[in-house]
Amino acid sequence: MALPLVEEAYKFLHEHPELGKQETQAQLYLTSKFRALGFTRFETSPSAPTAVIAVLETGRPGPVVALRAEMDARPLEAGKDEPEDHQPRSLIAGRMHNCGHDVHAAMLLGAASVLKRNADRLVGTVVFVFQPAEETPGGADDLIRDGVLQRLGVQKIFAQHVAPGLPVGTVAISPGVVLAASGYFKIMLKGSGSHAAEPWRGSDVGLLATHLAQELAYLPARRLDPVSRPAIISIARLVADGGASNQLPSEAELSGTVRAFEDLETANQDRVSLSELMRSTVERFAAAHQVTATWAFRTGSPPTENSRALFDETIKPLSSVWTTGLNTTLSRGMFSEDFAFYTRHNQALYFALGVAGDSLGRAGVHTREFTIDPGTLRIGTRLMTHLGVIGSTGQARFHSE
């Protein structure tokens, strides 16, 4: 078992969090570890220069399988750092691996060490993809655009993501669309300001912004069928600053995200797209209140869809060795993941990995309280190793020579 290597990598990556497309320390660290394991072939992606893509060739005919992990960390809320009682703890102020990407990368490195030692019992090729910039634009989509996996002939790809609240030892997987598409919007409202004692002399843009925020948040429940088109619109930022407590501002900014299990900018003869529905709502609101509104929208990731064929091909052999809890109940969530870009080009499966034990692994991702139970590292390494073997040989155990 490669647990000491996994624990060392987790500690290093957690203590040195780097933002998207800035993962130079992680790249150097992971590349040095792969070279020490005996890997000699590495691929590059011009649009994602910090990626680490290591290739294990067995020399025997067989499928080309990819195993993927992310590398980037996240900025924390302004003025906040990771709690002092966390172990390990970020050494970089204002940054933290609070989405588990350090965990994913460490476990994939561990799986690579096991598969490398047993390469003579595999067939085909296994590609280890350490992807930058999952939390920012240009991660998986850059690798797809550069054609890296296509050139390597990747046929199927696997990944996992930490799942707070799910017990350590449990993994969850279901076929079909499992994660939502994401979009990001920014709205600028402009009107006229006034003294706060005479709000009727201006547009009272700050108050209007709060009403617009509510209208957008309520929109999915009143304008969409919640059964066939579930969606969430969340306002993450609202700024209206008149410069003084007795001055009403002339401008306000709202920004946030929309999530749904459909392409957000795609319409058909029966329904308008979600982005267009939001845009028209904003325009009508602005016209009704005699202010101007500037609307900007950016698509994030498409829906993440697990391949039914790969699910059927994988679950039976995995069930034969995974006795600690394999949950295949149909489920999906409004989180979004750029792993979705791979699912549009390859057979793909995306697993949820339990990280909760005792008091650890309970806090949600993207919070500064996020932790994992240490037992996660062994379980996740084992899962990725099994997926590499199953993808290569069709069985959950190594072939005997």
Side-chain angles (χ1 to χ4, degrees):
M1 182 60 177
L3 190 56
L5 173 63
V6 177
E7 292 173 336
E8 176 199 305
Y10 168 56
K11 184 175 186 296
F12 176 86
L13 295 171
H14 190 91
E15 290 180 342
H16 301 87
E18 298 169 293
L19 303 182
K21 296 204 169 182
Q22 300 174 26
E23 308 93 343
T24 54
Q25 289 187 78
Q27 181 186 45
L28 289 171
Y29 178 87
L30 292 167
T31 301
S32 69
K33 293 299 180 183
F34 269 95
R35 293 194 186 281
L37 291 172
F39 283 80
T40 57
R41 182 179 176 187
F42 298 88
E43 296 292 323
T44 59
S45 175
S47 301
T50 53
V52 177
I53 305 169
V55 182
L56 174 59
E57 298 170 298
T58 68
R60 287 174 289 281
V64 182
V65 181
L67 303 176
R68 174 266 200 175
E70 315 96 307
M71 303 162 66
D72 56 327
R74 290 177 48 81
L76 290 170
E77 184 181 349
K80 301 290 186 180
D81 292 319
E82 183 170 6
E84 293 185 4
D85 62 347
H86 281 195
Q87 193 58 241
R89 181 175 182 267
S90 170
L91 300 178
I92 309 298
R95 294 185 200 168
M96 179 184 170
H97 269 291
N98 59 355
C99 203
H101 295 174
D102 52 343
V103 186
H104 305 162
M107 295 185 297
L108 183 55
L109 176 62
S113 72
V114 176
L115 294 171
K116 174 66 173 175
R117 289 198 305 271
N118 292 275
D120 59 341
R121 302 162 73 183
L122 300 171
V123 297
T125 301
V126 183
V127 181
F128 302 93
V129 179
F130 292 81
Q131 176 209 303
E134 195 281 324
E135 297 287 349
T136 59
D141 47 335
D142 277 345
L143 295 182
I144 292 296
R145 191 180 305 109
D146 286 349
V148 180
L149 303 190
Q150 295 93 314
R151 290 198 304 272
L152 290 169
V154 170
Q155 298 157 293
K156 42 195 169 183
I157 184 168
F158 300 93
Q160 61 182 340
H161 199 289
V162 295
L166 194 68
V168 171
T170 301
V171 297
I173 180 75
S174 62
V177 174
V178 292
L179 294 175
S182 62
Y184 301 90
F185 59 89
K186 180 178 179 180
I187 305 160
M188 290 294 299
L189 292 181
K190 293 185 179 182
S192 58
S194 70
H195 193 288
E198 297 181 317
W200 60 88
R201 293 193 182 279
S203 304
D204 206 355
V205 170
L207 186 60
L208 289 182
T210 66
H211 291 320
L212 178 56
Q214 287 184 315
E215 186 160 339
L216 289 172
Y218 294 155
L219 188 151
R222 290 295 179 262
R223 298 290 301 278
L224 302 175
D225 178 354
V227 176
S228 63
R229 298 186 76 184
I232 290 175
I233 299 173
S234 292
I235 308 299
R237 187 169 185 267
L238 196 161
V239 179
D241 185 3
S245 57
N246 63 351
Q247 176 68 37
L248 299 183
S250 62
E251 298 183 0
E253 175 188 323
L254 302 87
S255 57
T257 185
V258 55
R259 305 295 170 96
F261 301 110
E262 60 185 76
D263 287 331
L264 302 177
E265 294 190 300
T266 300
N268 59 38
Q269 60 184 4
D270 299 318
R271 65 190 192 188
V272 66
S273 71
L274 269 171
S275 61
E276 174 59 24
L277 180 60
M278 293 174 65
R279 185 194 63 78
S280 62
T281 298
V282 171
E283 289 184 350
R284 286 196 301 270
F285 181 92
H289 294 281
Q290 298 180 317
V291 296
T292 62
T294 303
W295 164 260
F297 187 82
R298 173 179 68 83
T299 56
S301 300
T304 298
E305 184 170 6
N306 281 335
S307 162
R308 164 64 74 174
L310 188 58
F311 176 87
D312 292 341
E313 178 184 310
T314 302
I315 294 307
K316 185 175 180 179
L318 183 61
S319 299
S320 69
V321 294
W322 202 269
T323 58
T324 54
L326 179 60
N327 185 349
T328 58
T329 304
L330 290 177
S331 65
R332 58 184 184 176
M334 284 293 182
F335 292 101
S336 178
E337 238 287 348
D338 77 355
F339 187 74
F341 289 104
Y342 303 117
T343 72
R344 292 192 158 188
H345 296 269
N346 305 96
Q347 286 191 322
L349 286 183
Y350 192 67
F351 287 77
L353 176 71
V355 299
D358 297 326
S359 62
L360 299 174
R362 308 286 177 181
V365 294
H366 293 197
T367 70
R368 62 191 291 267
E369 293 79 20
F370 172 79
T371 57
I372 65 162
D373 184 280
T376 301
L377 298 174
R378 178 179 61 83
I379 297 296
T381 301
R382 178 173 163 242
L383 175 62
M384 293 304 280
T385 302
H386 281 312
L387 294 176
V389 176
I390 292 170
S392 171
T393 68
Q395 301 180 16
R397 296 178 175 86
F398 290 108
H399 281 313
S400 297
E401 290 297 316

